[in-house]
Amino acid sequence: MYLTKMEEKMLAGEEGYAVQKNMEILTALGNIFGAEKMIPVSSVQVAGVSYYNLGDAGLEYLETLAAKAACARVKTTLNPAGMDLENWRDLGIEEEFAKKQERVIQAFVKMGVIPSCTCTPYLVGNEPARGDHIAWSESSAVTYANSILGAMTNREGGPSALAAAITGRTPAYGMHIEENRKPKVRVKVDTKLRDVPDFGALGYAVGKKIGPKIPLFEGIEGSPLEQLKSLCASIATYGGTALFHISDGTRDDAPTEIITITRTDIEAALRALNDEAAEVDFVALGCPHCTLEEIKTIADLLEGRKVTREFWICTARQTMQEAEKTGDAQRIRKAGAKFACDTCMAVAPLKGRFNVLATDSAKACYYGRGTNNFKTRIGSVEECVNAAVTGNWS
Ligand code: F3S
């Protein structure tokens, strides 16, 4: 792989241990994937923040890098951590876990990383422009950045994203090459999608049918942000693609392979994500993290009611603070529901605490089942709020 003079110096250790080690990671990656050169990145988003997933080895790695003066050169934000950084006790997090999680965050902060702890960085100030080369690692955010914002990023691992932050570079392969971003399958959506679970079901159905091939969707033009972020999360989880296109009717590179998604496919996907369980003991919304609009909807649905089940609204702290200004956050707390800022139902240590998760997110079903052994119920936000109040899924 071609390296500039400056990159060669970085690799030779002239800018210190941390830069050298991280250039080694990136050049190894570049060589594996056949990159011809490095490219500068303007934004980084690092996953692998929860101590639940990192463990002591990950914590030690981060603290070593921080001690060796590693420092982010570009705007770098974090994916959700394993707990609400301020309100962890209220979410039932153990003190021992909290101490380790705080050390993880301190190590990142020491490296100049912004501890925004959200999978929707594009809602809270880390919003790249069309054509920007970036290095993000949360899969739903990667798909959102590529597909909706038009930025260019591979699906980085936590260490490779952090390496991009520390060096300001990433190897030029995959989604950074225009040629690799062309659609491969036309996906005609031949049914009206009603809500967020329907978009999650679309991602599930398409992901299962075409895997990581890049789809060109027809029939979902003009969909709201909330529905698109659900699709991004779901298609990345169930298919593995980091990019989709939405047809505006003007493309001259529409693929010849065509699949059609009907109401039958959406219903089948929703059935596959729903387990048999009449009672619910945990409700979690905000996968990916809730927007202000979603928080308002939840607050309206909770008006004058009290929840009887643990109910988490997962969102960025900054978004929750905006909801405090409108009074929606107070209305939610009054009903007994809890904000889970900085974290989510998938990366918090929840195994063994609950049996049945109700959610509006197809991705949350995947992690609820896979990571935490929960049964899952997927439905509209109204159905989820009702379940939090009554404990029943109807
Ligand atoms: Fe975000 Fe957690 Fe879902 S990181 S996309 S809320 S699994």
Side-chain angles (χ1 to χ4, degrees), residues 134-171:
I134 63 175
W136 284 17
S137 46
E138 152 55 33
S139 65
S140 69
V142 163
T143 308
Y144 193 92
N146 279 321
S147 313
I148 310 301
L149 302 179
M152 302 168 91
T153 177
N154 286 318
R155 186 168 164 174
E156 301 290 346
S160 65
L162 186 57
I166 291 166
T167 63
R169 288 158 172 75
T170 196

Side-chain angles (χ1 to χ4, degrees), residues 79-80 119 138 140 286-289 344 346 363:
N79 212 39
C119 50
E138 152 55 33
S140 69
C287 173
H289 275 175
C344 79
K363 178 174 178 177

Side-chain angles (χ1 to χ4, degrees), residues 42-57:
S42 58
S43 159
V44 173
Q45 193 253 2
V46 179
V49 181
S50 171
Y51 175 71
Y52 194 37
N53 302 326
L54 283 170
D56 285 329

